[in-house]
């Protein structure tokens, strides 16, 4: 059973604390009617994106058509630039839905995230080079690589994609409007690395394909990590803006994190607005900013500062650390939410030892836990709307559906799946919701990118 703020004994809170916390929790509460409204609007925006270029929800054809059977074989490289790490993988597809994978993670520094694109590409090429050296992978023929590049790009073929905009804290110069596959291929060429970018892949598309390698009827790939996005199969005859072959199915990268920049339905609070204003992509990615791992801690921090400023938390005293933007990590929320010790000692550790709040009372820690819960619960509830929306749009409500989900937020945030399920029950009704299966597809995008590189190389 997921905890609710009702399970915390509030008798030690002052009336003013109760009132202020209730007000904040109310702001983050999304009722069933609102969930349905968001879902309905989502379907409207999906249709707009399929009809015309330049819509808010971009609905980008991925050039990945056809389904995998699980019998594909061969050795491929994959890159995954997800937002937090860079992963280089070597994937051996063995057939029968089986594979082996060797991988190495590299940290992408803030300097690289905000510097010239050429430096980022050179860094990625150097990582691939050192991976190949360490793993003794050499070959006369060019190695085929699937490049998971999880930012909105307009694709013109399976291995060509022009960057539309940066998200998730990246802002490299000289990249928007350029083909990011060509730029990375140039770095490989300059450094004499014998690798060919066979496919450029969004992580949602990779996750969908990776899961489909074992479960061919997977319906959607969803990412809930640093960012938030999803992909699904669409009949291209229903995509008005598509000028190519209509007689096929293709995976659509929805770029649904951009949903509702018009602010029609998402219940944004003052804390969300403050985050948006201080983000590097103002007035963009509202849906993502309410759901994804990069942002939940900051929303929580904003709400805690509000209580501190009302002198209702930590005796009105913040710390240098807590005053700093982005200092309250989403992972702290997970730790605090599962803290069931009588004196909330895990929460005390984060607040006092990590964030240097001079001292906290039990009431303080209970309040922090309550706020974390409200922000995390809202994220999970809103995240279910786009899945329900896709099922509705594709006429699959009431059919068996497998939703493959990757990302640390989904994997580690306590009760995230439970809360999404509850939300799905409210949107679709329990009987139809029960047909929808959420599965963790851990690090699927590396495998998925390799499979897509294989499909591209075969063509
Ligand atoms: P990426 O999106 O780069 O592929 P991940 O899927 O690992 O990477 O997601 C990273 C995000 O997940 C970060 O924004 C981080 O805040 C969040 N995160 C990491 N650990 C946890 C955790 N234990 N609980 C909740 N969120 C977490
Ligand atoms: Mg990832």
């Amino acid at each position: 059973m997921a905890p609710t703020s009702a399970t915390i004994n509030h008798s030690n809170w002052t009336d003013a604390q109760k009132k202020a916390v209730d007000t904040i929790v109310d702001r983050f509460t999304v009722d069933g009617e609102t969930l349905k409204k968001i879902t309905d609007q989502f379907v409207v925006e999906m249709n707009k994106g399929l009809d015309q270029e330049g819509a808010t929800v971009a609905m980008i054809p991925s050039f990945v058509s056809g389904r995998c059977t699980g019998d594909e074989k061969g050795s491929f490289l994959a890159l995954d630039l997800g937002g937090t790490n860079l992963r280089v993988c070597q994937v051996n597809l063995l057939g029968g839905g089986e594979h082996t994978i060797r991988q190495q993670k590299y940290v992408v520094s803030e300097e690289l995230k905000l510097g010239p694109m050429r430096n980022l590409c050179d860094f990625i090429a150097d990582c691939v080079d050192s991976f190949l050296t360490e793993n003794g992978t050499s070959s006369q023929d060019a190695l085929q690589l699937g490049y998971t590049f999880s930012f909105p790009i307009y694709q013109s073929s399976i291995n060509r994609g022009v960057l539309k905009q940066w998200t998730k804290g990246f802002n490299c110069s000289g990249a928007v409007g350029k083909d990011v596959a060509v730029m990375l291929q140039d770095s490989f060429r300059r450094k004499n690395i014998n690798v060919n970018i066979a496919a450029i892949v969004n992580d949602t598309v990779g996750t969908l394909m990776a899961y489909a390698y074992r479960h061919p009827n997977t319906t959607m790939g969803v990412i809930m990590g640093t960012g938030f996005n999803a992909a699904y199969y669409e009949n291209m005859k229903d995509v008005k803006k598509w000028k190519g072959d209509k007689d096929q199915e293709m995976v659509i990268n929805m770029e649904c994190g951009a949903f509702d920049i018009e602010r029609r339905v998402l219940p944004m609070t003052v804390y969300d607005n403050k985050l948006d204003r201080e983000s590097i992509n103002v007035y963009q990615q509202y849906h993502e900013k309410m759901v994804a791992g990069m942002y939940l801690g900051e929303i929580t921090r904003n709400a805690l500062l509000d209580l501190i400023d009302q002198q209702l938390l930590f005796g009105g005293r913040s710390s240098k650390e807590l005053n700093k933007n982005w200092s309250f990590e989403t992972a702290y929320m997970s730790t605090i939410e599962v803290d069931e010790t009588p004196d909330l000692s895990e929460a005390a550790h984060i607040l006092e030892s990590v964030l240097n709040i001079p001292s906290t009372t039990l009431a303080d820690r209970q309040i922090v836990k309550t706020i974390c819960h409200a922000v995390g619960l809202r994220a999970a509830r809103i995240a279910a709307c786009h899945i329900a929306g896709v099922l509705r749009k594709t006429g699959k409500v009431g059919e068996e559906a497998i939703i493959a989900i990757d990302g640390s937020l989904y994997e580690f945030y306590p009760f995230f799946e439970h809360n999404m399920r509850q939300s799905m029950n409210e949107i679709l009704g329990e009987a139809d919701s029960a047909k929808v299966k959420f599965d963790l597809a851990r690090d699927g995008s590396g495998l998925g990118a390799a499979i897509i590189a294989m499909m591209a190389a075969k063509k």
Side-chain angles (χ1 to χ4, degrees):
M1 182 59 206
T4 65
S5 50
T7 61
I8 293 178
N9 174 8
H10 293 161
S11 63
N12 54 336
W13 299 12
T14 65
D15 286 344
Q17 282 177 322
K18 278 182 200 161
K19 193 159 166 258
V21 173
D22 271 353
T23 302
I24 294 179
V25 170
D26 266 356
R27 289 176 177 161
F28 287 119
T29 301
V30 187
D31 63 20
E33 281 314 301
T34 308
L35 293 174
K36 286 182 190 159
K37 238 171 78 185
I38 296 172
T39 305
D40 290 346
Q41 187 62 31
F42 200 79
V43 174
V44 171
E45 299 298 327
M46 281 177 74
N47 282 321
K48 282 187 199 162
L50 293 173
D51 285 353
Q52 69 214 10
E53 300 292 348
T56 298
V57 178
M59 304 295 282
I60 299 166
S62 67
F63 291 83
V64 175
S65 56
R67 304 214 176 205
C68 53
T69 63
D71 283 329
E72 294 80 0
K73 288 182 186 164
S75 179
F76 298 88
L77 284 178
L79 277 174
D80 183 358
L81 186 67
T84 301
N85 289 303
L86 171 73
R87 284 190 303 143
V88 184
C89 319
Q90 191 190 9
V91 181
N92 287 315
L93 303 174
L94 304 173
E98 298 297 325
H99 74 284
T100 59
I101 189 163
R102 251 192 307 187
Q103 56 178 316
Q104 181 88 41
K105 274 192 185 179
Y106 304 85
V107 177
V108 184
S109 68
E110 287 304 306
E111 193 186 336
L112 283 169
K113 285 183 188 174
L114 302 174
M117 183 61 170
R118 185 178 163 131
N119 294 1
L120 180 67
C121 290
D122 282 353
F123 168 78
I124 296 172
D126 286 340
C127 291
V128 171
D129 198 24
S130 90
F131 178 87
L132 293 176
T133 308
E134 275 169 38
N135 289 284
T137 311
S138 63
S139 149
Q140 289 300 92
D141 302 329
L143 294 161
Q144 300 297 324
L145 175 136
Y147 180 18
T148 304
F149 182 83
S150 303
F151 302 90
I153 54 171
Y154 287 122
Q155 282 192 246
S156 54
S157 72
I158 188 73
N159 64 352
R160 287 287 173 269
V162 170
L163 182 64
K164 179 176 173 245
Q165 72 194 55
W166 285 113
T167 56
K168 298 186 287 192
F170 275 67
N171 204 8
C172 298
S173 55
V176 172
K178 301 260 174 60
D179 191 312
V180 292
V182 169
M183 292 183 90
L184 181 59
Q185 190 70 62
D186 279 347
S187 288
F188 287 142
R189 196 173 31 76
R190 277 200 304 276
K191 291 170 182 285
N192 284 317
I193 301 167
N194 196 12
V195 166
N196 175 53
I197 302 174
I200 183 158
V201 181
N202 188 269
D203 53 359
T204 58
V205 180
T207 299
L208 173 56
M209 296 311 277
Y211 212 74
Y213 192 57
R214 287 205 123 165
H215 310 273
N217 56 353
T218 306
T219 311
M220 276 179 89
V222 177
I223 297 291
M224 296 178 191
T226 308
F228 165 65
N229 189 16
Y232 74 106
Y233 274 103
E234 186 57 272
N235 292 318
M236 297 312 278
K237 67 173 169 28
D238 296 331
V239 183
K240 260 192 213 149
K241 70 180 178 185
W242 175 252
K243 302 288 181 279
D245 177 8
K246 294 261 183 187
D247 198 20
Q248 61 175 332
E249 264 188 328
M250 190 180 279
V251 179
I252 302 287
N253 162 22
M254 301 172 75
E255 289 299 338
C256 56
F259 171 64
D260 207 34
I261 48 173
E262 301 82 4
R263 304 188 57 164
R264 292 194 177 99
V265 287
L266 288 178
M268 287 178 65
T269 65
V270 286
Y271 315 112
D272 297 289
N273 286 319
K274 179 164 177 279
L275 174 146
D276 181 48
R277 218 169 267 128
E278 291 166 0
S279 69
I280 62 171
N281 53 346
V282 190
Y283 305 136
Q284 289 167 26
Q285 301 292 105
Y286 285 150
H287 197 203
E288 176 165 80
K289 284 171 178 165
M290 294 174 99
V291 171
M294 178 167 173
Y295 304 102
L296 301 188
E298 180 68 0
I299 298 169
T300 303
R301 192 185 73 93
N302 287 339
L304 298 182
L305 291 178
D306 182 10
L307 287 169
I308 292 170
D309 291 347
Q310 297 179 62
Q311 312 237 28
L312 297 172
L313 189 67
F314 310 144
R317 298 294 292 272
S318 185
S319 66
K320 199 170 129 206
E321 286 75 9
L322 189 63
N323 281 343
K324 214 173 135 210
N325 281 103
W326 313 102
S327 62
F328 196 91
E329 292 182 14
T330 303
Y332 301 163
M333 298 170 67
S334 293
T335 309
I336 291 169
E337 269 220 59
V338 291
D339 186 357
E340 294 295 335
T341 59
D343 57 349
L344 298 181
S345 53
E346 299 282 339
H349 172 76
I350 290 173
L351 295 169
E352 294 173 17
S353 305
V354 182
L355 292 167
N356 279 324
I357 306 289
S359 77
T360 64
T361 63
L362 180 59
D364 285 337
R365 303 194 285 274
Q366 289 169 336
I367 289 172
V368 172
K369 183 170 175 173
T370 304
I371 303 294
C372 289
H373 178 69
V375 174
L377 177 62
R378 185 188 69 165
R381 285 175 68 76
I382 290 184
C385 294
H386 77 290
I387 297 175
V390 168
L391 297 176
R392 194 160 279 164
K393 158 82 185 109
T394 53
K396 291 210 169 76
V397 174
E399 293 176 21
E400 304 280 336
I402 301 177
I403 316 297
I405 309 179
D406 187 19
S408 295
L409 182 75
Y410 180 77
E411 185 172 359
F412 299 117
Y413 203 98
F415 310 109
F416 210 84
E417 181 185 344
H418 170 99
N419 294 336
M420 278 176 59
R421 169 67 58 199
Q422 178 60 40
S423 171
M424 195 66 107
N425 290 348
E426 290 170 46
I427 300 167
L428 296 181
E430 281 186 33
D432 287 338
S433 168
K435 298 264 171 80
V436 183
K437 199 165 164 247
F438 303 132
D439 273 347
L440 176 65
R442 189 185 291 119
D443 283 345
S445 47
L447 170 60
I451 293 168
I452 294 166
M454 184 275 313
M455 291 164 87
K458 208 162 71 179
K459 274 189 185 163

